[in-house]
Amino acid sequence: MPLHHPKHRHHHNEDVLPYHRSDDEAKPRRPYVPSSFPSSPASAAPPHRFLLLFAVVCLLLAVASLSFAVSVSRRPVPLQSPPDSVAFRCGRAEDSLRSFLASSGNYSAGDREKVLAVVGVHTELGSAARRAALRATWFPPNPEGVVSLEHGFGLSFRFVIGRTKDKEKMADLQKEVDMYHDFLFIDADEGKKPPEKMLAYFKAAYDMFHAEFYVKADDTIYLRPDRLAALLAKDRLHHRTYIGCMKKGPVVSDPNMKWYESSYGLLGNEYFMHASGSLYALSSEVVGAIATTNNDSLRMFDYEDVTIGSWMLAMNVNHEDNRAMCDSTCTPSSIAVWDSKTCSGSCDPIEKIKELHNTTLCSKSPTLPPELEEEE
């Protein structure tokens, strides 16, 4: 053991240490010096100099560590390229347009998109030709057109579709998605019944868009977006509104007949008032109630329009009948044109839609009839 020299003990006080220790522990000790290398009193540095040197070294190390940490925190993190399907999802639902705009740097992710209405044009995997006919006529032909229509009329158009486990069909659809970016994928498989797919659409649309109305349209109709916007923008006294071509009809209880309803025993002989399924609109408060309801608590009938109509009865909404939403031929005030009497939607939609679009009265007439414009 090295010897301790009492004469050096009076150079240090207890306040050198940040906490109190016993007298023996608080007394600084001289460093151990091997006997084979004796130090002379003239060359040996006092103990307090060693402590000072040690403290300076520790301080320098601390400053160096802090500088390194700050430089690392300020170093820009390399941005990763977003995957093919990134933002704007709700479960399996996805808005392909806003995902595309975000990935291309033309859009910043935020809260729900505020629009007058979301117009979901419901389509199927095998209906690429119908979608092409719509893009060639009244539906926006590219992402810029969709955005322009949204800014001009407040209507955000999407083709609404589910997914399938068929890889070949999904690959074909993905090519179309990558070309046009105008799809809203819903959290439902294509094999689901129409009422279930409709519920998935309203849930996805409500979660992604802050709209005053949520519109459902078939891909078999000819639509005037400007007139639809004018209809939806009107002031209304009722916050819970259900707009469409209202109808009734007999309940078919014979399983061998078209439009057979398996739950006919709950309905009686005639359906209640409900809008035709080719085109109708629900106000935000109505869709909000649907979107927040558990799926299992909503009754599903065999047909979408009847199912939606039954929910409207339970919610005490205002039924707004508008026959301009189901004209069979173009008029100065028609909003949508389709043959509602002989078939659901257009019987030959592709050629019919092109034919209508080439008619001046259908595609180039003013938004409002002249007499209504004068009243405005």
Side-chain angles (χ1 to χ4, degrees):
M1 295 289 291
L3 297 177
H4 301 278
H5 301 281
K7 64 180 180 179
H8 293 292
R9 294 178 181 173
H10 68 277
H11 291 295
H12 297 275
N13 298 323
E14 290 183 354
D15 56 3
V16 173
L17 301 172
Y19 55 91
H20 179 72
R21 298 192 296 185
S22 63
D23 291 339
D24 291 337
E25 292 176 331
K27 297 171 183 177
R29 302 175 185 271
R30 294 183 63 182
Y32 172 74
V33 180
S35 57
S36 58
F37 297 93
S39 60
S40 63
S43 61
H48 69 278
R49 292 184 181 179
F50 285 104
L51 292 176
L52 179 60
L53 179 61
F54 179 74
V56 171
V57 171
C58 291
L59 179 61
L60 291 175
L61 289 174
V63 171
S65 300
L66 180 61
S67 300
F68 176 76
V70 171
S71 65
V72 170
S73 64
R74 291 181 177 179
R75 186 179 302 166
V77 179
L79 296 177
Q80 296 181 351
S81 299
D84 293 337
S85 300
V86 282
F88 318 111
R89 284 180 173 272
C90 173
R92 293 169 58 214
E94 178 193 356
D95 179 4
S96 67
L97 175 63
R98 287 193 289 162
S99 292
F100 165 71
L101 294 177
S103 65
S104 60
N106 296 325
Y107 188 90
S108 58
D111 297 330
R112 297 156 67 205
E113 188 81 1
K114 290 186 177 181
V115 293
L116 171 62
V118 181
V119 183
V121 180
H122 287 247
T123 187
E124 298 177 350
L125 289 171
S127 300
R130 290 185 184 181
R131 294 189 290 273
L134 266 58
R135 293 191 189 101
T137 54
W138 61 265
F139 192 97
N142 49 45
E144 294 78 13
V146 176
V147 174
S148 176
L149 197 60
E150 184 175 303
H151 291 167
F153 295 111
L155 304 182
S156 195
F157 282 85
R158 301 291 189 278
F159 284 113
V160 178
I161 198 167
R163 290 184 169 87
T164 178
K165 295 180 181 178
D166 189 317
K167 294 182 179 179
E168 185 176 349
K169 290 182 179 179
M170 282 304 299
D172 290 339
L173 178 62
Q174 190 60 48
K175 293 177 182 178
E176 189 178 348
V177 173
D178 294 340
M179 182 176 294
Y180 297 104
H181 308 286
D182 53 7
F183 286 85
L184 174 62
F185 285 98
I186 56 176
D187 191 2
D189 294 331
E190 272 298 282
K192 291 287 186 180
K193 293 182 177 180
E196 296 177 47
K197 292 168 66 176
M198 195 55 47
L199 178 59
Y201 160 63
F202 284 126
K203 285 180 176 290
Y206 187 79
D207 284 334
M208 296 180 188
F209 295 88
H210 183 187
E212 295 181 34
F213 285 92
Y214 297 83
V215 180
K216 184 265 178 173
D218 281 343
D219 62 358
T220 56
I221 68 172
Y222 184 85
L223 182 68
R224 282 288 298 261
D226 54 339
R227 291 177 184 168
L228 177 62
L231 170 67
L232 300 179
K234 290 181 178 179
D235 292 330
R236 289 176 172 81
L237 298 176
H238 302 278
H239 295 292
R240 295 187 298 274
T241 305
Y242 175 33
I243 310 173
C245 289
M246 299 298 164
K247 64 176 183 177
K248 290 183 178 181
V251 176
V252 179
S253 58
D254 186 348
N256 297 317
M257 295 181 63
K258 188 179 180 180
W259 310 121
Y260 166 68
E261 172 59 64
S262 59
S263 300
Y264 64 90
L266 299 174
L267 297 169
N269 296 324
E270 187 179 56
Y271 284 117
F272 39 78
M273 184 72 71
H274 62 278
S276 173
S278 291
L279 179 66
Y280 59 88
L282 303 179
S283 63
S284 179
E285 189 172 324
V286 175
V287 175
I290 294 174
T292 55
T293 302
N294 293 330
N295 293 12
D296 294 339
S297 64
L298 294 171
R299 179 175 294 281
M300 301 282 182
F301 292 100
D302 290 340
Y303 302 103
E304 166 227 331
D305 54 353
V306 174
T307 301
I308 297 296
S310 69
W311 299 347
M312 298 302 101
L313 288 178
M315 296 177 64
N316 191 31
V317 305
N318 179 57
H319 290 59
E320 185 175 316
D321 183 26
N322 192 308
R323 311 316 294 179
M325 297 174 73
C326 56
D327 276 331
S328 58
T329 59
C330 291
T331 70
S333 60
S334 57
I335 296 172
V337 178
W338 47 279
D339 195 342
S340 60
K341 295 181 180 179
T342 59
C343 56
S344 180
S346 296
C347 296
D348 185 11
I350 296 175
E351 295 304 319
K352 183 67 174 180
I353 288 171
K354 292 179 180 179
E355 178 185 327
L356 292 172
H357 190 69
N358 291 329
T359 304
T360 300
L361 184 60
C362 290
S363 60
K364 297 180 176 62
S365 57
T367 299
L368 298 176
E371 60 272 15
L372 294 180
E373 288 185 338
E374 292 176 3
E375 293 178 4
E376 294 287 333

